[in-house]
Amino acid sequence: MSLSQFKLLRPRTIDEAVGFLAKYAGDAAAGDGQRIRIIAGGTDLIPSMRQKLFEPEYVLDIRHIVGLNGIREQGSGVEIGALTPLSRIEHSELLRRRYPVLSEAASAVASPVIRNMGTIGGNICLDTRCLWYNQSLAWRKACGFCIKKDGNLCHVAPGGTKCWAAFSGDTPPALLCLSAEIEVAGPSGSRRVALRDFYTGEGDNYRKLQANEVLTRIFLPETSADYGGVYRKLRIRGSIDYPLAGVAVAIKRANGHVADARVALTAVNPAPALVKGASEMMAGNPLTETLAEAVGDLAARTAKPLTTSALTPEYRREMIRVFTKRALLATER
Ligand SMILES: Cc1cc2nc3c(=O)[nH]c(=O)nc-3n(C[C@H](O)[C@H](O)[C@H](O)COP(=O)(O)OP(=O)(O)OC[C@H]3O[C@@H](n4cnc5c(N)ncnc54)[C@H](O)[C@@H]3O)c2cc1C
Ligand code: SF4
């Protein structure tokens, strides 16, 4: 599958990048600009362009923007540049010590080579996935296309008007557990938003990022530091696959009881999602097997997997239940 022709733009500053986006994005209100696409590590964008899921006229290569690659202590929290490779997040001593759920989730992405190329910003902005979408043009055409790209029907939920493609990034559930915020730069400056407000829950227009905006930084607050953290992931090939179900947990204990805890899921809904009610269920209680099982049941009810992925929805939901329980019982702090 060959790449279509495109013009490569290489900004050196955020302002220059935003200028290019403003110039070439076309109608910013359309959201998912097709005329220009941002490329960071390219580990997801390039395969998608080969499949003709995107055929941009311009590709904005942001890798040379100064100041967006690195992990820094900022005040009492941590700031991570959007261009920081996942391997750096995986191996950062600071993150392993203070935000272990994030380094564990980063270490679960794909393979070492892809983690060297792939960035945290790209992982947060990752396109949603579906068996009917991540296919070649000829394959999709033979099936009559679908709502997410070029068509008007959904093969997964026929008769509906919504796309259910699954968000399948590994680090966003960990970031949700850490109450992370992101910084987005656009023509009118930078805005900082909670990551939990970044995703729409719609498979075809899955993030609140205008075509003239770029994700620049991620912030981890001090209040989420030093939580025990575990990430568990279901995939077919242990060495390199996207998650088909994933659970992140972050938990703080005091005097043998849970002081605070959060659970978040990925790959089973069109957006990564915090499990509502999990924190309240655990707070103030000792983390027993019965409690972990009850939280697992709650997580399984939050998961709404459909036939977007290679394994059955029933199995993926069941694994959310099992992984949640195991992840909670595996936390140490
Ligand atoms: C074989 C294979 C296995 C994979 N397995 C996994 C896996 O297990 N788990 C997983 O999470 N991912 C997986 N991936 C996907 C991908 O490698 C990672 O998600 C990676 O983090 C993407 O980062 P990137 O920098 O390469 O993104 P890119 O490919 O450069 O971009 C991805 C998307 O994000 C947008 N984007 C990137 N950076 C920004 C930014 N700063 N601002 C705004 N938009 C931006 C791009 O326009 C594009 O839409 C896999 C990929 C492959 C090829
Ligand atoms: S969920 Fe439906 S509309 Fe969305 S990509 Fe899959 S088949 Fe297409």
Side-chain angles (χ1 to χ4, degrees), residues 32 37-47 54 62 68 82-83 86 105 108-111 114-115 117-127 129 168-172 198 206-207 209 213-216 233 235 237 240-243:
D32 219 7
R37 299 293 309 192
I38 293 172
I39 191 167
T43 58
D44 194 65
L45 188 73
I46 294 293
F54 305 115
I62 59 174
L68 293 189
L83 294 174
L86 292 164
V109 174
S111 65
I114 291 177
R115 293 198 291 277
M117 289 287 291
T119 65
I120 181 98
N123 203 238
I124 292 171
C125 292
L126 191 65
D127 195 9
R129 297 182 64 79
S168 307
D170 282 304
T171 65
F198 182 61
Y206 58 99
R207 53 186 189 182
L209 189 76
E213 291 182 324
V214 56
L215 169 60
T216 46
K233 161 175 180 176
R235 53 184 156 182
R237 296 169 297 181
I240 196 168
D241 266 336
Y242 287 87

Side-chain angles (χ1 to χ4, degrees), residues 6-61:
F6 57 84
K7 295 184 187 76
L8 191 65
L9 304 168
R10 285 207 159 132
R12 298 268 162 186
T13 63
I14 296 171
D15 283 350
E16 211 185 330
V18 169
F20 279 134
L21 289 170
K23 187 168 175 191
Y24 297 116
D27 178 13
D32 219 7
Q34 295 297 313
R35 200 168 166 228
I36 181 165
R37 299 293 309 192
I38 293 172
I39 191 167
T43 58
D44 194 65
L45 188 73
I46 294 293
S48 300
M49 283 173 63
R50 287 189 191 283
Q51 292 179 319
K52 309 285 184 281
L53 293 171
F54 305 115
E55 294 181 87
E57 206 178 321
Y58 297 93
V59 170
L60 185 77
D61 177 1

Side-chain angles (χ1 to χ4, degrees), residues 246-276:
V247 178
V249 306
I251 184 163
K252 185 161 248 176
R253 288 188 172 85
N255 304 321
H257 288 61
V258 176
D260 188 25
R262 298 150 204 167
V263 180
L265 312 180
T266 191
V268 283
N269 294 317
L274 278 165
V275 176
K276 283 196 190 119

